[in-house]
Amino acid sequence: MTARILDGKSLAAELRAEIAAEAAALHAETGRAPGLAVVLAGEDPASRSYVTAKEKACAAAGIRSREITLPASAGRADILSAVRALNEDDEVDGILVQLPLPDSSIEREVIEAMDPAKDVDGFHPVNIGRMVLGLPAFVPCTPAGVIEILRRAEIPLSGAAVTVIGRSQIVGRPLSVLLSQKGVDATVTLCHTRTNDLARHTRGADVVVVAAGRPGTLTADMIRPGAVVVDVGVNRVPDASRASGYRLAGDTDFDGLRDVAGAITPVPGGVGPMTIAMLLRNTVEAARRRRTAPA
Ligand code: NAD
């Protein structure tokens, strides 16, 4: 069997066109384009390239973006005061603090300082709580992107057995909640580093989502033939043949799985583009809610 490649890039392009139309309609209705503010502290090259990609995607969708760049030496007070100023700024509909921060011990406090109505990353406890309760909320972009890829690729989830590898607060855990929600209706197994016999849980699954941050976590012998594989991982693997000295790889043995899986997302070009599209969607949604909310 040769797996169908779930092309996140073209699925995301479809979605981005829809979002651009919504942003244009909101602009026309309210006289102002939706606006995103991105806080970037420090000079981590991966964070820099993620922020640039997000800003480019905003521009293409008719969303204004503003970058607040802080030095790596910026302390807790500087970052908190930048976030609080953005909370008060009426021109800003969505706020994104690019993680990791140089001092990761303050991340939770920074996220909690954000106005939940502008938390387009969906990391604030208010949004997480509302998501768990099935109430309208900003949902974290990567898990939302995984669901959106599967939905647009018409992979059935209702009643399906889905195994998620990884229980991080930004990917695996919220994804497990979304998948089991009414309306999505998957039966979810959430695996992590303490899981005994990972392959037992992946072999029983119709869909396996890998978000472990380790190349080669899922191999061909670990799935049943025809299963769908979503690879969330983004790893920089040393590669002397490239000018950059590295290549991007996911968490799966992609070449091996291609012969066994029914469908698989590539890295790059799978979940990544959809994650960015979900950020745009949340930003337009934040703008709509703020501008149309009853006074
Ligand atoms: P994390 O390190 O916070 O969490 C990894 C999780 O995987 C942990 O819960 C750990 O228990 C589990 N894990 C690791 N190895 C395992 C193994 N062998 N068996 C079972 N469980 C295992 O990582 P994260 O922030 O969730 O990110 C995961 C991956 O997804 C990373 O490669 C990251 O770069 C990528 N990512 C991609 C996007 C995107 O837009 N494509 C967004 C966010 C994260």
Side-chain angles (χ1 to χ4, degrees):
M1 177 180 300
T2 303
R4 175 181 157 208
I5 304 298
L6 302 179
D7 179 356
K9 221 171 156 179
S10 67
L11 294 171
E14 259 174 49
L15 179 57
R16 278 159 65 160
E18 294 163 21
I19 295 164
E22 277 174 49
L26 192 62
H27 192 164
E29 255 172 66
T30 64
R32 204 168 69 213
L36 175 71
V38 181
V39 179
L40 175 62
E43 278 113 40
D44 176 54
S47 292
R48 173 71 268 165
S49 76
Y50 289 138
V51 167
T52 303
K54 289 168 187 174
E55 290 167 348
K56 269 171 87 173
C58 280
I63 295 172
R64 290 172 294 118
S65 70
R66 184 198 302 174
E67 183 176 316
I68 291 87
T69 313
L70 300 170
S73 57
R76 174 180 163 276
D78 303 310
I79 300 177
L80 286 173
S81 96
V83 167
R84 288 187 184 124
L86 295 170
N87 284 346
E88 298 306 318
D89 188 334
D90 194 45
E91 295 279 311
V92 172
D93 297 299
I95 305 172
L96 180 154
V97 176
Q98 184 64 43
L99 302 179
L101 290 174
D103 174 5
S104 60
S105 71
I106 62 166
E107 285 176 0
R108 198 28 55 210
E109 191 182 2
V110 169
I111 289 166
E112 290 185 18
M114 210 179 279
D115 178 351
K118 295 188 177 187
D119 167 37
V120 287
D121 251 343
F123 294 161
H124 192 286
V126 166
N127 282 313
I128 294 171
R130 291 180 65 87
M131 176 189 72
V132 171
L133 293 170
L135 298 170
F138 292 115
V139 168
C141 300
T142 303
V146 170
I147 303 254
E148 194 66 24
I149 287 192
L150 293 170
R151 197 175 70 76
R152 286 185 182 245
E154 297 181 352
I155 306 289
L157 289 173
S158 179
V162 181
T163 293
V164 177
I165 306 178
R167 60 176 165 187
S168 73
Q169 289 174 14
I170 62 167
V171 188
R173 192 179 298 264
L175 179 60
S176 71
V177 172
L178 291 175
L179 284 165
S180 61
Q181 235 154 23
K182 256 196 187 331
V184 183
D185 300 319
T187 302
V188 183
T189 303
L190 184 59
C191 298
H192 43 79
T193 41
R194 298 289 172 96
T195 297
N196 287 328
D197 195 359
L198 182 63
R200 180 165 69 86
H201 299 287
T202 54
R203 279 191 201 115
D206 302 306
V207 178
V208 181
V209 183
V210 201
R214 293 186 194 176
T217 300
L218 188 76
T219 50
D221 57 314
M222 293 171 72
I223 64 162
R224 64 162 187 73
V228 174
V229 175
V230 178
D231 188 348
V232 180
V234 180
N235 305 292
R236 290 182 175 209
V237 177
D239 183 343
S241 71
R242 310 254 173 143
S244 59
Y246 69 86
R247 66 185 165 83
L248 291 184
D251 285 348
T252 65
D253 168 19
F254 181 81
D255 291 335
L257 281 161
R258 257 186 112 153
D259 295 334
V260 185
I264 185 167
T265 61
V267 178
V271 174
M274 204 49 119
T275 294
I276 295 189
M278 301 319 282
L279 170 70
L280 304 179
R281 188 162 89 177
N282 281 350
T283 303
V284 174
E285 179 58 26
R288 179 165 294 286
R289 284 191 208 163
R290 290 182 65 247
R291 295 181 202 179
T292 56

